[in-house]
Amino acid sequence: MSERVRTVTTVAVMVVMASALALLISTQPVNVDRAEAIGSRIKCPVCQGESIANSPSQLAEDMMDLVAERVASGAGDQQIIDELLASYTGALLLDPPASGSTLVLWLAPLAAVGVGVGIILWWRRHPGPMPATEAPSAPRSRTRLLLGGLILAASFAGIVVVASTSLQDRPAPASGVADIGQQDLADVSNETMEAVVAANLDNPQINGMRLALAERYYEEGDYRSAFPHYLAVAESAEATDVEAASALTRLGWMAYEGNGEVETAIRLLDQALAIEPGSSVALYLKGRVQWCGAGDPESATSLFEQVLENPSLPEESRSEIEADLDRASSGAACT
Amino acid sequence: MLALLGSAGVVAAIIGSVLLVIRGIRSARGGTADLVTPSKLILAGAVIAMAAMQIALLTDDFSLAYLANQHSTTTPFPFDVATAWAALEGSIVLWGLILAVFIWAVAARHRKAPDQLEAAALAVMGGVAVFFFGLMITVANPFEVCVDALATGCAGSSPWPFATVDVPADGPGPNPLLQNHYMMAIHPPILYIGYVGLTVPFAYAIGALALAVPGPEWLRRSHRSTLVAWSFLALGIVLGGWWAYEVLSWGGYWAWDPVENASLMPWLVATAFLHSGLVQQRRGMLQAWNFILVISAFSLTILGTFLTRSGTINSVHSFTQSAIGPALLGFLVLVLVGSFTLFSMRSHLVATSPRLESFVSREGGFLVNNLLLAVFAFIVLIGTTYPLLLEAFSGTRVGVGEPFFNRLAVPLSFLLLLTMGFGPVTPWRGAAPGLLWRRLRAPTLIALSLGIVTVLGVTRLGWVVLAVVLGTFVAGAIVGLLVEQTRIRAEKTGRPLLAEARTVIGNDKSFWAGQLSHLGVALVAVGMAFAANLPLNAQVVLAPGDSVDFAGYGLVYDAPFRRSEPNRVVQGARIDVYQGDRRITTLEPRLNLYGSNPSPIVTPAVMRRAGGDLYLTLRRTDSETIELDLDTSPMVWLIWLGGLTAAAGGFWSLAARKADRAVTQEVVTTDV
């Protein structure tokens, strides 16, 4: 067999093998764990750069459960991601979109490849050390010096601007609030949080921490400990609307649940709704207070209906509220 | 007492460093000056500082604020020793010590053959040492004494060694994550040797620019240090991944975390530099590029330290909480501005290089490899810093994580593998027609066959198959080249093939050492593809006596256990692992509770198997049941093996260089 024939045969065998591989790979039935895929694109709000799929924290697990539920209910990837980002503050997309402020991230590597290839090709035709900074019309060394200086000045200016913005605009918060605020709060003990709150009474950034701490007491059923923190947030001039509204909502519910004060409860919940109209939690709890506390199933019915208008209501809450709505509208006593 | 001793060591090292700068400059300008004495003074000072720290740790001397906040009487060996680098101040002592050893090594060689380039390099290294030892007496002082003791820990400290000391009875101990695995004791020093080692080629580069001798001399002089740095960085990165896998309980080893990226970036640039340095030494090309690479590699080590040590990663806003952030950033700016100003002042001297005759040549392959590695490093850099920059400028928070990096880095890595297959078999200057075909047809056929075997027998997932094909291609090309050269020699000499293979390797040890590293990288690629694409996982809730089948094993939850150790309380579950009816092992996934820290460190239990590890993580325990994560990591050991092989290639090359040095000198001079 001549050399040529052998070569042609070998190439043919290679082509056949490669196409067989390509065919077998491309006909692989796609079986992706969608929940996992979505979860790996969402940053866990209380962790350092971990996705909710990887993080062992309770919040991340809850969020993963929600994702699995939504996947099972047939929601689209983008829809689920949008819902998560909207309902969890601090959740971020780890997979930055190629648009808006993160377009640069995708363009810069491309540009780097382009510049690199350009320099190599240029250098190939004009062998010389520094093609990028060489202008044939000007004396070499001076142009280079100038360009080098300019690049340096630009990078220096960039760094200085970054450094000074972080120095000027954001005064260092007292005794490490920013620090703790960025940490995984799930790992911080109640005592630590209390201590931090106590040490930072004047710090406007403390409301988030207070609220998290109060929320924790609330879930443990320790209304007595939760109360002062909710109150402080509700009264704080620095609290955001969302923070104030959720503090008022909890205060209202605790007034009813803990002390049976129906009027106070409704007043507080109305205040919450005034700040954040349409808050599902406030609407629902107000409905419960109207129904169970004030014995007014009709007001409750209309409130429950308003809650159910919220399209992003989690499925399990929805079915629970629908059950309540059924019973309230039939005039039954609350359960 | 120890505070005084340690501070005295630091001050001695600073004096030595300043002296080294002054005398180095004098000597570089043609004068004569003794550079060995200052370098010895730096080394002595650094050793004293580290010794003071270690004595304090071993004798539980809580009068030092660093110990009061990082150490505890219950910290067991070797973690008490490792506490010296468990936090910022101590880790800078380690950094200083390693830098001192490198300085001393360069200076000791200087005594034998004094010359201006080496003197200039020493002056630069002295300058770097002034900065790092300077940190130790200013913003990151490890020898401050505690003046305001808490029950455990220290609330206030003074840099003045004679201040009235208020000694706490005990400290909280180092970060639990750092005392949970022995690897944490050795991983940081190894990584630091890598980081600090890059100071040497940087110093030579700056020295060469300052003296206006941009020829290959500086590359040759610093090549050994570059290899040391590169090998240790590789080793450190692998050990870091291994540690994460064994300790961090999510079954992964690499998360594109900024701390990890900080070690990857200098390694990528150093890898590019090792290759492009070769091009300059052999063909006189890429002079300017080599300066850029080495300045970047050194700057990236400083940037990495800044990112990981200033708290900037947690939040841009925590930047100002410690003065270490501005200090490191300032030094980084100084290095960048100073180096590139010098570089542009000397650029007219960077000689015109010979023409690239053909892209299909070894140097052409190196060009492609350098482009890919530089882009890779750039992607990691921009992905790590962009969220910080954006937040600092506009306050907008964006996340850049695993999906972004994987999307860009995975294809890039496959291109690198492809280059790695072509490069080594391509001769310098240009390949004769048909040569590449002859050398690569067998590897290609073998690679495609193995790909088909994988598809039919293991998986049809594209990334895995591609990794197998390209990994085999790289390995096949290397083995093929060895076989070819051995045959040619054997035909001439008639000696047995095995003996000739040894001669072939022995004649060009550094080349074959490089190929060993290539093999290691190919193994890593295959291991990563398997571990990332083919794992199984499940979550179960078990009561004692319950069993579950997973990945071909039967797992039986035997019983919970709880034991108190000096520094921690270990709470765990005993899980018997059966294969068929035979019990093969008992695994103990645990929750380790350290001191007063309320949240447990989740510690997985791993059963290592060639096909895939069984990886159990205890999520929760209550009185009745446990919640357990079950995972497999197929072929994950290939990653460790490959990483160690890559690093071993570097070390072998280092040993080979020493033996061949006389020969190398000849080769280089004849080549030029």
Side-chain angles (χ1 to χ4, degrees):
Chain A
M1 199 161 31
S2 79
E3 182 67 30
R4 206 186 148 139
V5 175
R6 256 178 61 186
T7 306
V8 171
T9 323
T10 317
V11 172
V13 170
M14 283 180 185
V15 170
V16 169
M17 287 168 95
S19 348
L21 268 182
L23 189 73
L24 284 165
I25 291 171
S26 58
T27 52
Q28 151 88 3
V30 183
N31 181 20
V32 191
D33 184 344
R34 268 186 63 207
E36 185 78 16
I38 294 173
S40 69
R41 295 175 62 193
I42 306 278
K43 180 184 171 296
C44 153
V46 294
C47 318
Q48 267 188 32
E50 274 175 311
S51 70
I52 56 170
N54 281 344
S55 163
S57 77
Q58 184 60 48
L59 181 64
E61 281 190 22
D62 292 348
M63 289 172 76
M64 279 307 284
D65 290 345
L66 187 67
V67 172
E69 212 172 86
R70 298 292 288 135
V71 167
S73 73
D77 286 9
Q78 195 55 48
Q79 190 188 351
I80 300 177
I81 289 173
D82 290 343
E83 284 171 15
L84 280 176
L85 296 187
S87 41
Y88 289 89
T89 29
L92 290 171
L93 194 58
L94 282 175
D95 192 10
S99 62
S101 61
T102 47
L103 181 63
V104 177
L105 271 171
W106 297 97
L107 289 186
L110 277 180
V113 175
V115 169
V117 171
I119 289 179
I120 291 176
L121 292 179
W122 197 98
W123 175 67
R124 176 91 204 279
R125 286 163 91 216
H126 309 80
M130 287 185 55
T133 57
E134 201 168 50
S137 57
R140 260 186 177 186
S141 56
R142 272 182 72 186
T143 318
R144 282 183 191 164
L145 193 62
L146 197 66
L147 274 167
L150 278 177
I151 293 170
L152 280 174
S155 62
F156 182 71
I159 292 170
V160 167
V161 170
V162 175
S164 57
T165 39
S166 39
L167 285 167
Q168 287 164 7
D169 300 352
R170 301 177 178 83
S175 67
V177 176
D179 207 1
I180 291 199
Q182 298 296 327
Q183 279 177 17
D184 189 343
L185 276 181
D187 288 348
V188 181
S189 71
N190 289 1
E191 292 70 34
T192 314
M193 284 167 77
E194 283 283 8
V196 174
V197 169
N200 290 280
L201 289 177
D202 301 329
N203 192 316
Q205 294 181 17
I206 202 63
N207 283 316
M209 169 80 79
R210 262 193 194 283
L211 210 51
L213 178 59
E215 207 67 9
R216 203 180 281 186
Y217 286 131
Y218 173 82
E219 288 185 356
E220 289 163 4
D222 185 356
Y223 289 178
R224 190 183 295 275
S225 305
F227 179 76
H229 291 296
Y230 281 130
L231 191 63
V233 175
E235 287 177 345
S236 164
E238 312 284 348
T240 64
D241 283 357
V242 178
E243 285 166 351
S246 57
L248 284 164
T249 307
R250 290 291 190 225
L251 283 170
W253 182 246
M254 280 164 26
Y256 166 70
E257 263 277 281
N259 294 348
E261 291 174 27
V262 176
E263 276 172 41
T264 317
I266 289 179
R267 187 165 48 79
L268 288 166
L269 287 167
D270 280 339
Q271 280 179 21
L273 286 167
I275 296 172
E276 208 194 346
S279 154
S280 298
V281 185
L283 284 170
Y284 175 67
L285 292 178
K286 189 181 168 195
R288 293 284 303 182
V289 177
Q290 290 283 17
W291 185 20
C292 311
D296 180 1
E298 278 165 39
S299 317
T301 306
S302 80
L303 286 163
F304 291 154
E305 277 165 352
Q306 281 183 55
V307 180
L308 290 169
E309 281 164 19
N310 181 355
S312 61
L313 204 61
E315 273 318 300
E316 53 183 13
S317 317
R318 181 174 293 277
S319 54
E320 199 177 315
I321 297 168
E322 275 167 353
D324 277 356
L325 176 63
D326 279 350
R327 266 178 289 118
S329 58
S330 67
C334 92
T335 44
Chain B
M1 177 57 205
L2 285 173
L4 184 62
L5 185 66
S7 303
V10 174
V11 170
I14 293 179
I15 295 172
S17 308
V18 173
L19 269 180
L20 187 63
V21 175
I22 296 169
R23 291 188 176 181
I25 292 174
R26 197 190 301 153
S27 175
R29 290 181 151 187
T32 46
D34 168 25
L35 300 179
V36 182
T37 311
S39 75
K40 280 184 179 163
L41 185 59
I42 301 173
L43 183 61
V47 168
I48 289 171
M50 183 51 97
M53 177 62 80
Q54 290 297 347
I55 294 170
L57 286 165
L58 294 172
T59 57
D60 298 328
D61 183 348
F62 292 106
S63 63
L64 289 183
Y66 179 79
L67 267 77
N69 288 324
Q70 302 298 338
H71 178 65
S72 158
T73 48
T74 58
T75 312
F77 183 84
F79 301 108
D80 49 359
V81 172
T83 302
W85 45 85
L88 170 74
E89 292 85 356
S91 68
I92 293 197
V93 177
L94 178 65
W95 189 290
L97 177 62
I98 295 172
L99 183 59
V101 172
F102 273 105
I103 289 176
W104 176 75
V106 172
R109 203 169 51 181
H110 187 84
R111 187 171 45 182
K112 286 179 210 152
D115 70 90
Q116 288 172 299
L117 178 59
E118 223 144 47
L122 278 168
V124 176
M125 293 180 78
V128 176
V130 170
F131 172 73
F132 278 101
F133 286 104
L135 288 181
M136 285 181 231
I137 50 165
T138 53
V139 294
N141 187 340
F143 297 109
E144 289 195 351
V145 291
C146 183
V147 294
D148 184 5
L150 301 169
T152 52
C154 180
S157 58
S158 159
W160 182 234
F162 303 107
T164 316
V165 185
D166 188 6
V167 185
D170 202 349
N175 181 336
L177 271 179
L178 303 184
Q179 45 174 322
N180 211 29
H181 199 281
Y182 67 92
M183 227 182 281
M184 214 51 214
I186 53 170
H187 163 66
I190 287 176
L191 207 52
Y192 276 24
I193 296 176
Y195 283 144
V196 179
L198 288 174
T199 313
V200 181
F202 168 75
Y204 270 99
I206 298 299
L209 285 174
L211 293 174
V213 283
E217 192 62 20
W218 71 273
L219 279 170
R220 225 168 36 228
R221 296 288 186 79
S222 60
H223 188 85
R224 284 175 59 78
S225 302
T226 311
L227 268 175
V228 170
W230 183 89
S231 310
F232 274 98
L233 267 179
L235 195 60
I237 292 171
V238 177
L239 291 182
W242 204 343
W243 170 81
Y245 177 78
E246 299 274 344
V247 171
L248 292 188
S249 78
W250 98 97
Y253 45 86
W254 190 264
W256 297 104
D257 182 272
V259 182
E260 296 165 342
N261 294 348
S263 64
L264 182 63
M265 289 187 282
W267 183 81
L268 287 169
V269 177
T271 310
F273 176 58
L274 276 179
H275 291 93
S276 73
L278 222 55
V279 178
Q280 186 180 338
Q281 289 192 42
R282 291 290 295 252
R283 304 276 289 115
M285 298 171 180
L286 302 181
Q287 289 191 359
W289 179 237
N290 279 322
F291 283 115
I292 294 174
L293 280 180
V294 79
I295 293 168
S296 309
F298 178 72
S299 305
L300 284 170
T301 65
I302 307 293
L303 178 73
T305 313
F306 164 71
L307 287 177
T308 51
R309 289 300 186 183
S310 67
T312 309
I313 290 165
N314 294 349
S315 158
V316 177
H317 313 149
S318 66
F319 172 65
T320 49
Q321 280 185 350
S322 151
I324 190 80
L328 282 167
L329 194 60
F331 185 60
L332 177 65
V333 171
L334 185 74
V335 167
L336 280 172
V337 172
S339 309
F340 281 107
T341 307
L342 186 61
F343 177 62
S344 51
M345 281 162 66
R346 291 286 186 265
S347 63
H348 61 286
L349 289 173
V350 180
T352 304
S353 51
R355 198 184 183 88
L356 176 69
E357 286 137 68
S358 162
F359 274 114
V360 190
S361 61
R362 182 73 60 79
E363 54 270 42
F366 281 155
L367 269 186
V368 177
N369 127 317
N370 263 256
L371 176 66
L372 294 174
L373 285 167
V375 170
F376 199 150
F378 178 67
I379 288 170
V380 181
L381 176 67
I382 193 172
T384 312
T385 54
Y386 187 75
L388 303 173
L389 291 172
L390 189 67
E391 193 182 347
F393 276 118
S394 69
T396 316
R397 296 200 59 184
V398 294
V400 178
E402 222 174 322
F404 170 80
F405 290 110
N406 283 351
R407 217 165 273 194
L408 295 173
V410 169
L412 212 53
S413 307
F414 281 113
L415 282 177
L416 272 169
L417 273 182
L418 196 65
T419 321
M420 222 184 274
F422 279 100
V425 301
T426 318
W428 292 95
R429 290 175 188 254
L435 178 73
L436 283 189
W437 168 249
R438 281 201 306 282
R439 284 182 169 173
L440 288 175
R441 68 187 163 197
T444 309
L445 283 171
I446 296 171
L448 287 171
S449 315
L450 220 66
I452 288 178
V453 170
T454 312
V455 162
L456 296 179
V458 187
T459 177
R460 282 160 72 182
L461 285 173
W463 289 129
V464 183
V465 179
L466 196 57
V468 169
V469 169
L470 286 177
T472 317
F473 178 65
V474 170
I478 295 168
V479 174
L481 191 65
L482 181 60
V483 169
E484 179 203 285
Q485 301 203 348
T486 305
R487 266 200 197 146
I488 293 174
R489 277 192 69 97
E491 271 168 29
K492 277 191 205 152
T493 61
R495 289 170 58 204
L497 284 174
L498 211 62
E500 283 305 338
R502 288 182 57 170
T503 318
V504 167
I505 293 175
N507 281 349
D508 199 355
K509 275 188 195 139
S510 18
F511 174 79
W512 292 105
Q515 300 317 307
L516 185 67
S517 293
H518 283 187
L519 274 180
V521 174
L523 289 179
V524 171
V526 175
M528 283 184 174
F530 271 90
N533 289 294
L534 297 170
L536 301 173
N537 47 58
Q539 259 191 358
V540 290
V541 176
L542 300 174
D546 282 357
S547 66
V548 59
D549 286 333
F550 177 71
Y553 300 107
L555 308 179
V556 180
Y557 174 28
D558 175 19
F561 66 89
R562 187 184 174 88
R563 60 172 181 263
S564 292
E565 293 175 8
N567 61 330
R568 61 184 184 184
V569 174
V570 176
Q571 192 181 343
R574 255 191 295 279
I575 313 281
D576 292 328
V577 182
Y578 288 86
Q579 198 161 29
D581 291 334
R582 197 167 55 89
R583 198 184 76 184
I584 46 178
T585 188
T586 300
L587 291 177
E588 296 186 346
R590 292 166 297 163
L591 304 172
N592 295 340
L593 281 154
Y594 285 87
S596 56
N597 198 324
S599 55
I601 301 297
V602 183
T603 305
V606 187
M607 182 180 78
R608 292 177 193 80
R609 285 292 179 272
D613 290 358
L614 180 63
Y615 192 98
L616 304 186
T617 318
L618 191 58
R619 280 292 166 222
R620 250 174 289 288
T621 58
D622 57 38
S623 52
E624 295 298 316
T625 58
I626 54 166
E627 190 182 322
L628 204 58
D629 276 4
L630 316 173
D631 296 275
T632 59
S633 302
M635 314 288 269
V636 75
W637 57 275
L638 272 182
I639 302 173
W640 323 140
L641 177 69
L644 296 180
T645 308
F651 288 118
W652 181 23
S653 177
L654 203 56
R657 289 242 147 206
K658 199 170 187 179
D660 299 350
R661 194 181 294 166
V663 185
T664 318
Q665 292 281 14
E666 259 171 56
V667 172
V668 171
T669 38
T670 50
D671 219 49
V672 173

